Amino acid sequence: MFTDQVKIHLKAGKGGDGLVSFRHEKYIPYGGPFGGDGGDGGDIIFEADPGRTTLLDLRYNRKIIAEPGGKGKNKRMHGANGEDKIVKVPLGTIVRRAETGQIVADLTEAGQQAVVAKGGKGGRGNCHFKSSRNTAPKYAEDGKPGDEFDAQIELRVLADVGLVGFPSVGKSTMLDAVSRARPEIGDYPFTTIHPNVGVVETGDGRSFIMADLPGLIEGASEGKGLGHQFLKHIERCRVIVHVIDMGGEEGRDPVEDYRIINDELKDYHLRLLDRPQVVVANKMDEEKAQENLKRFREAYPDVEVFETTAIIHEGLDPVLRRAADLLATTPAFPIEGTEENQEGVVYTFEEKKKEVVIEEVEPGVWQLSGPRIERNFNISKLNTEEDYYLFANRMRYLGIDNLLREAGVKDGDTVRIENFEFEFVE
């Protein structure tokens, strides 16, 4: 089963907690701190595998979780790092954050790897907190959580040349004739319902990858028919081979078909029409083919047309040579949803959430929340006076005290963090 889009949940490994431990040594308080650091959590890594052609594996494995880091150990020993989780996907796979649409990874080369979810850093053991004022610290850092988010995984066929046109114009027949790909061929619309890919070699020894893409219909750019499922695969192609049924055996008008297909490419994405096209007049053995070709050339006098009869392998080599010539001079196009600077580096943009949110829920009572607070507040760790001291210092270091003052919090006001109340003292 061909699957080119799936939504999954990614959770990188949490960092291991640091350890509170003391060694036994005479004349040293508690023997001196001896707790080790926690290990780092495992990353989730996507790897491009040329042997895969579909995202079917991910369809039945919707949650991917990396191993957490081990806790710190006695004698300042470091906890074990969590094992990375490697997920193999086909070439041409794009990983996005489902919430924002930000592109996290675009895998286009065999063996290419990308860290899509970073594991959390391990917490420091109590040996790091020894000072002249506190020679026996009884606290250690918690491990940081790893990245966790829903991801949209998309496969966009990695091909140099894409065959486009209405259903049943002969695209699959052409791919079958010029490569070892064996697409399904039939005399009914939408025989091809997913892309087929084959390696094509010209008569002069040049080669490239060609994709037979599902047939377009009018309104495809608005989602009709296979709609966006089809059009997104063209974004990878540098050259488009536009196949037209010049015989008109399905009762279609080749002149009108050419206009409709180009309109759909234009409406979906402006950059699709920037790709050079090779126009192929197929089924030239039909009775009305010559008459229709004459009308086509009158309507589009500047368009170069190649006459073929794909079913008997006639006229195909000039088409392949022309496509190879265009590939030699056509650069790669950036994928949808990105912008490209002059140096060719692709950037993506993500709206960043506010790190700290301060709200006055009632007079003199303030609610403190946000990602930064969630990462640094753990009520289960507030057990001793030292824990409170460490928490207060951390809030001051992160600038939370100043943010509270700027929001209007006054001496004696109550500050809530996850249903836990503190008194604000100047």
Side-chain angles (χ1 to χ4, degrees):
M1 183 186 297
F2 181 79
T3 303
D4 61 359
Q5 186 168 315
V6 66
K7 186 176 181 180
I8 63 175
H9 185 77
L10 303 177
K11 183 178 181 180
K14 176 186 177 297
D17 297 339
L19 182 70
V20 176
S21 176
F22 299 93
R23 71 181 186 270
H24 300 289
E25 189 170 333
K26 197 174 182 181
Y27 304 122
I28 296 180
Y30 290 97
F34 219 30
D37 300 344
D40 295 336
D43 301 332
I44 296 178
I45 301 172
F46 276 53
E47 179 181 327
D49 182 0
R52 295 174 185 262
T53 58
T54 177
L55 298 173
L56 186 61
D57 290 349
L58 295 180
R59 184 176 180 182
Y60 299 106
N61 185 19
R62 296 297 182 95
K63 278 190 177 181
I64 297 176
I65 302 174
E67 187 179 51
K71 292 183 179 180
K73 299 181 180 180
N74 199 6
K75 300 181 180 179
R76 295 191 179 185
M77 289 193 294
H78 199 286
N81 291 330
E83 186 177 349
D84 294 337
K85 183 74 172 180
I86 297 178
V87 182
K88 294 191 176 183
V89 293
L91 271 68
T93 297
I94 298 172
V95 184
R96 297 177 184 269
R97 283 184 176 266
E99 185 179 356
T100 63
Q102 178 201 16
I103 295 177
V104 180
D106 182 14
L107 304 168
T108 58
E109 299 177 7
Q112 180 183 354
Q113 290 188 337
V115 177
V116 298
K118 185 71 176 173
K121 188 171 179 59
R124 292 177 294 173
N126 69 330
C127 63
H128 291 279
F129 299 99
K130 180 181 178 181
S131 66
S132 59
R133 292 186 177 182
N134 188 1
T135 57
K138 297 178 183 178
Y139 53 82
E141 275 186 340
D142 293 339
K144 302 297 182 183
D147 293 338
E148 182 175 4
F149 58 92
D150 289 331
Q152 192 74 34
I153 316 298
E154 299 177 8
L155 171 60
R156 300 191 181 179
V157 170
L158 198 62
D160 302 310
V161 176
L163 295 166
V164 304
F166 273 93
S168 300
V169 296
K171 302 185 298 296
S172 297
T173 304
M174 180 175 293
L175 182 66
D176 179 74
V178 299
S179 74
R180 291 187 178 182
R182 292 296 175 260
E184 183 181 353
I185 299 172
D187 59 354
Y188 52 90
F190 295 108
T191 309
T192 303
I193 59 175
H194 59 77
N196 295 295
V197 180
V199 178
V200 175
E201 186 170 349
T202 63
D204 55 5
R206 291 177 292 175
S207 63
F208 54 85
I209 299 173
M210 178 181 282
D212 160 30
L213 302 167
L216 274 172
I217 64 169
E218 190 170 7
S221 60
E222 300 171 0
K224 294 181 181 179
L226 296 176
H228 298 159
Q229 280 183 275
F230 156 77
L231 286 164
K232 67 183 180 183
H233 292 294
I234 308 178
E235 294 182 19
R236 293 287 192 191
C237 302
R238 288 187 288 147
V239 174
I240 294 175
V241 174
H242 192 153
V243 184
I244 302 171
D245 177 5
M246 202 56 72
E249 64 175 355
E250 300 290 333
R252 308 197 60 86
D253 180 2
V255 178
E256 187 68 6
D257 285 357
Y258 180 75
R259 180 193 65 78
I260 291 173
I261 294 295
N262 280 333
D263 284 348
E264 294 304 320
L265 297 178
K266 177 182 178 182
D267 291 342
Y268 173 70
H269 198 292
L270 293 176
R271 297 301 300 272
L272 291 184
L273 283 184
D274 291 349
R275 292 153 175 74
Q277 284 191 24
V278 180
V279 179
V280 175
N282 194 32
K283 303 185 181 180
M284 289 304 297
D285 57 334
E286 297 290 333
E287 184 178 349
K288 295 183 179 180
Q290 290 298 333
E291 178 186 340
N292 288 332
L293 180 59
K294 182 179 179 182
R295 287 194 307 108
F296 184 90
R297 283 178 167 154
E298 290 173 354
Y300 301 100
D302 298 328
V303 176
E304 183 182 16
V305 183
F306 292 84
E307 302 178 36
T308 68
T309 305
I311 197 168
I312 60 173
H313 300 195
E314 186 177 290
L316 297 177
D317 193 58
V319 175
L320 303 182
R321 289 173 184 263
R322 179 61 176 151
D325 291 341
L326 292 172
L327 282 173
T329 58
T330 305
F333 291 83
I335 59 175
E336 175 197 10
T338 64
E339 293 187 9
E340 190 174 38
N341 68 350
Q342 293 180 352
E343 288 76 25
V345 180
V346 175
Y347 294 95
T348 57
F349 302 91
E350 177 184 11
E351 184 179 352
K352 206 168 185 180
K353 288 184 178 179
K354 198 170 182 181
E355 286 286 308
V356 179
V357 179
I358 302 172
E359 297 176 306
E360 188 173 16
V361 292
E362 54 185 89
V365 180
W366 303 79
Q367 185 72 40
L368 189 59
S369 60
R372 181 178 292 182
I373 302 301
E374 293 169 6
R375 289 195 298 267
N376 291 278
F377 179 74
N378 184 353
I379 192 171
S380 65
K381 289 292 183 180
L382 299 180
N383 299 316
T384 67
E385 186 177 342
E386 284 185 324
D387 292 335
Y388 282 99
Y389 177 76
L390 179 64
F391 172 70
N393 275 344
R394 188 177 298 166
M395 293 295 103
R396 191 175 297 110
Y397 174 77
L398 293 173
I400 305 300
D401 288 1
N402 289 332
L403 290 175
L404 289 170
R405 293 187 184 95
E406 292 171 5
V409 181
K410 299 177 181 177
D411 186 36
D413 284 357
T414 300
V415 178
R416 288 179 184 169
I417 305 177
E418 296 183 6
N419 298 321
F420 198 87
E421 294 188 351
F422 299 87
E423 183 181 353
F424 186 76
V425 179
E426 284 287 5

